[in-house]
Amino acid sequence: KQVVTGRKPTSAQLHLMFTTEVNLSQIGPYIDYLTKKQGVKSVFVNGTTGESLSLSVAERKMLAKEWCEKANGKMEVIVHVGCMSLKDSQELAKHAVEIKADAIAVMAPFFLKPKTAEALKLYLQEVSSAAPVLPFYYYHIPAITGVHVPARDVIAGIQELIPVFRGVKFSGTDLMDLGQCVSSSPPQWSFLYGVDEQLLAGLAMGADGAVGSTYNYLGCHVNKLIAAFEKHDLDQARKIQFKLQELLGFATNFGFDLGVNKQVMNDVSGLLLGPPRLPVMPCPPTHAQAIAKKYFELFTEC
Ligand SMILES: CC(=O)N[C@@H]([C@@H](O)[C@H](O)[C@H](O)CO)[C@@H](O)CC(=O)C(=O)O
């Protein structure tokens, strides 16, 4: 007979909580939620929020394939293929071609870090050479990689090395660097800004779009922010940006991280996206519920 003691989880329960597996069955409903409820038109798969660097190459392939198959014309799919090993990145880049991804992105490896823009560019070129037909984005996220080479130095002359280069997913806070990237680039390149709490500043500096963890549940509001900015309605754009800041400021009190974000995604969308993988800890349900409550106070359905 099993004795349920109430508070302390048994070691078997703990094992279940922390041994997370990817769950492909949720990707179809997730795409429907993003496209129909959030008005999201593109997805950035296996990035930071997707915990790519905590997944095996095989898992990343399964996920990318499922996203491409299920998205099938409903959304554009950009697959992040950056790894610590060049060989793994090339394998994922080749795979992205096979599954007909729309584009790939690559962050700097960050165990043995590139010390110069030249080294990083050579690395990016080698990855792109495994998928020479796919549009290529550099994923600049210095707070995570610890690679602080300015993005403007990475993209200088990069088209000669990577003819399919299309832009930068810019998740840095250095707006001068973003501005210098924009002002030195051909108009067909895109700069996708990735610091949700200051998107409006990124747009003012010339970003063309946004990729961020909170857009899983704020996509339609952020589309409105972008539309207001494009109409020069700064008051409206600021109103939305300030509400997003209020939500993130509130969530920061609970140690906002991937685990918290994932739980908020579950609570707001009603999807069963599961907990994060170790070493990221699952968010205590009471914390996520408080953040979701704040979300519903600040944002009405679009
Ligand atoms: C460091 C980090 O996770 N940055 C997030 C932001 O969306 C971030 O969560 C948000 O601005 C809150 O700080 C994104 O840039 C990451 C992202 O887009 C991704 O999942 O690849």
Side-chain angles (χ1 to χ4, degrees), residues 48-49 80 107-108 110 138-148 168-172 194:
T48 305
T49 311
H80 169 244
M107 66 171 67
F110 52 89
Y138 166 53
Y139 183 2
H140 181 63
I141 184 157
I144 297 267
T145 61
V147 175
H148 294 281
V168 180
K169 172 175 157 23
F170 194 106
S171 284

Side-chain angles (χ1 to χ4, degrees), residues 121 124 135-138 151-170 178-193 205-209:
K121 280 195 254 199
L124 299 177
F136 185 100
Y137 290 84
Y138 166 53
R152 60 181 175 269
D153 294 342
V154 180
I155 66 171
I158 203 161
Q159 210 164 8
E160 278 142 47
L161 302 175
I162 305 178
V164 287
F165 193 79
R166 284 293 175 282
V168 180
K169 172 175 157 23
F170 194 106
L178 175 60
Q180 291 187 317
C181 285
V182 172
S183 64
S184 65
S185 296
Q188 68 272 19
W189 288 4
S190 294
F191 291 88
L192 308 171
Y193 197 55
M205 209 47 79
D208 307 279

Side-chain angles (χ1 to χ4, degrees), residues 83 85-87 89-90 106-109 112-131 136 138 147 149 153-163 165:
C83 299
S85 147
L86 174 60
K87 289 281 179 193
S89 296
Q90 287 176 322
V106 180
M107 66 171 67
L112 295 180
K113 298 178 179 37
K115 289 189 190 140
T116 61
E118 290 318 308
L120 178 49
K121 280 195 254 199
L122 286 175
Y123 175 86
L124 299 177
Q125 182 188 24
E126 286 297 310
V127 181
S128 177
S129 71
F136 185 100
Y138 166 53
V147 175
V149 177
D153 294 342
V154 180
I155 66 171
I158 203 161
Q159 210 164 8
E160 278 142 47
L161 302 175
I162 305 178
F165 193 79

Side-chain angles (χ1 to χ4, degrees), residues 44 46-51 80 107 139 141 143-144 169-172 193-198 211-215 244 248 256 258 261:
F44 191 84
N46 289 342
T48 305
T49 311
E51 297 176 90
H80 169 244
M107 66 171 67
Y139 183 2
I141 184 157
I144 297 267
K169 172 175 157 23
F170 194 106
S171 284
Y193 197 55
V195 185
D196 312 7
E197 50 277 51
Q198 57 186 55
V211 182
S213 63
T214 65
Y215 306 151
L244 198 160
L248 274 172
F256 183 79
L258 290 179
N261 192 58

